[in-house]
Amino acid sequence: MNLSEAPQPLDVVGTGPTRRVVLTVGGGLSLAAFLAACGVGGGSGGGGAGSGKGTIRALVMKQAGYSEADIRKMTNTFQAANPDIKVTLDFVAYEALHDKTVAAAPAGTYDVVLIDVIWPAEFGTKKIVADVSGKWPASWKEQMLGGAVATPQYDSKFYGVPWILDTKYLFFNAEHLTKAKVDAAQLDTWDGVLKAARALKSSGVTKYPLIWSWQQAEALICDYATLLGAFGGTFLDASGKPAFQQGGGVQALEFMSQSITDGLTNPTSTQSLEEDVRRVFSAGQASMAMNWTYMFGMANDAKESQVAGHVKVLQTPAGPGGKRPGVNGSMALSLSAERKNQDAAWKYITYLTSQPVQNPFALSSLPVWKSSYDDPAVVKTNPDVVEQAKKQLGDLILRPQVKSYNAISQVLQTEIQNALVGKKSAQQALNDAADKTATLLTS
């Protein structure tokens, strides 16, 4: 299925079928010179402020998505193409990104901040990041994938430019499955994943075939969202009230909890984040794991992994009703609402998010541009993940786009953990979370 013909993402603003002409770099022209010649790095429309020169400061993430080395390479190329602009980069873990952005906003510490898909409602209404709707060329809405376009949006306004388009995939160790005589086709459904895990465990290949990022953090909500969608549930109903405490929401949490009770999921999952999952899987101590795109390259790198060459990737398994939405884990680069040199910052944002800059780094994070998935260079860089992305990125589930999301997420994290460690039943934990969420939604 072509991405341009894919079904519209779940609860996501869609885009039309227009494809973008693939940009290539040739004739010995350097990437920096090519981008400068093509005018990449300047926005269109909108206002902005400042001279478009000088020093700007950016707050970005140092885990998953683009690596620190990737971001520094992109930034160095930008500075070569824009010698009048100096960029200072600050890297923090994802778990610190939200609070550091909020704390730094009053002082206008940063010109550019990386924001998660779940933050535009809060950051936009609190004027932490700038409304850049006037800077968005209409063509972007057609040229970018729907899940990407939705990333910086709230209330029909754009609060940034999508940069990291990601969802979680199912990774598995093909050598482990062969030893346990498990057919990989079985992993197409969550029921099949559990059957495979039982076979792997009984054969002695791995003590705990599954590892997850279920620490009390946003990573836990991402995994829950994936299963929630697969089991046919939703976070909120049509009227905006909590709905995760019924039907598929309860089934998803029961699935998670039971996998621990049955000894199929490593109990350390409740203290693990994505990097912990990658390390355990790469050490050969797990046979299957959900994680972001970046894990494929690292788990297949012999310098980083003991299972290199045996790692395979699949789209999200289907639930009982055949649904298999991946969680929208995308992120955007935004302008600080308080900083003055927005012209220079906008040049930096549009440069990093441009197709010629994103395409070469497709091993860590796939581009936001539709036509990139038909670019032979992108496909060659990450053929296995691109094949699955063409199926998965057209079907993404959003976490609630509400102003109080961060507080709601913390409530859900706590109550889901209560169920996973056996303090409460899945139903009771979600009932308690729904009661608290309902209050937060109306406050």
Side-chain angles (χ1 to χ4, degrees), residues 16 21 79 99 105 179 191 232 283 350 377 392 423 433:
V21 177
Q79 291 181 138
D99 290 354
K179 288 181 178 179
D191 182 59
T350 54
Q392 189 70 73
K423 290 183 178 180

Coordinates of all heavy atoms in Angstrom, one line a residue, residues 16 21 79 99 105 179 191 232 283 350 377 392 423 433:
G16 N -3.9 15.1 1.6 CA -4.3 14.6 0.3 C -3.3 13.7 -0.4 O -2.2 13.5 0.2
V21 N 8.0 15.9 -5.3 CA 9.1 15.5 -6.2 C 10.4 15.2 -5.3 O 10.7 16.0 -4.4 CB 9.5 16.5 -7.2 CG1 10.7 16.1 -8.0 CG2 8.3 16.8 -8.1
Q79 N 25.2 25.4 9.9 CA 26.1 26.5 10.1 C 27.1 26.8 8.9 O 27.4 27.9 8.7 CB 26.9 26.3 11.4 CG 26.0 26.3 12.6 CD 26.7 26.1 14.0 OE1 26.5 26.8 14.9 NE2 27.7 25.2 14.0
D99 N 9.5 19.5 31.4 CA 9.7 20.4 32.5 C 10.8 21.4 32.3 O 10.6 22.6 32.7 CB 10.0 19.6 33.8 CG 8.8 18.8 34.3 OD1 7.7 18.9 33.7 OD2 9.0 18.0 35.2
A105 N 10.9 28.8 29.8 CA 10.1 29.7 29.0 C 10.0 31.1 29.5 O 10.2 32.0 28.7 CB 8.7 29.1 28.8
K179 N 15.3 -21.4 16.8 CA 15.6 -22.4 17.8 C 14.4 -23.0 18.5 O 14.3 -24.1 18.9 CB 16.6 -21.8 18.9 CG 18.0 -21.5 18.4 CD 18.8 -20.9 19.5 CE 20.3 -20.7 19.0 NZ 21.1 -20.0 20.1
D191 N -2.3 -12.2 20.1 CA -2.5 -13.6 20.5 C -1.4 -14.4 20.1 O -0.8 -15.3 20.8 CB -3.8 -14.1 20.0 CG -4.1 -15.5 20.6 OD1 -4.2 -15.7 21.8 OD2 -4.3 -16.4 19.7
G232 N -9.3 -2.2 20.4 CA -10.5 -1.5 20.0 C -10.9 -0.4 21.0 O -12.1 0.1 20.9
A283 N 21.4 -7.7 24.1 CA 22.2 -8.6 24.9 C 21.7 -10.1 24.7 O 22.3 -11.0 25.2 CB 22.2 -8.3 26.3
T350 N 13.5 25.1 9.7 CA 13.1 24.6 8.3 C 14.2 23.9 7.6 O 14.0 23.0 6.7 CB 12.6 25.8 7.5 OG1 13.6 26.8 7.4 CG2 11.3 26.3 8.0
A377 N 17.5 6.0 -2.1 CA 18.5 6.2 -1.1 C 18.0 6.0 0.3 O 18.6 5.4 1.2 CB 19.1 7.6 -1.2
Q392 N 2.5 0.9 8.4 CA 2.1 1.4 9.8 C 1.8 2.9 9.9 O 0.9 3.3 10.6 CB 3.3 1.1 10.7 CG 2.9 1.3 12.2 CD 1.9 0.3 12.7 OE1 2.2 -0.9 12.9 NE2 0.7 0.7 12.9
K423 N -1.1 -4.3 42.7 CA -1.8 -3.6 43.8 C -3.3 -3.4 43.6 O -4.0 -3.3 44.5 CB -1.1 -2.2 44.0 CG 0.3 -2.2 44.5 CD 0.8 -0.7 44.7 CE 2.2 -0.7 45.3 NZ 2.7 0.7 45.4
A433 N -8.3 5.9 37.7 CA -7.7 6.8 36.7 C -8.7 7.7 36.0 O -8.5 8.9 35.8 CB -6.8 6.1 35.7

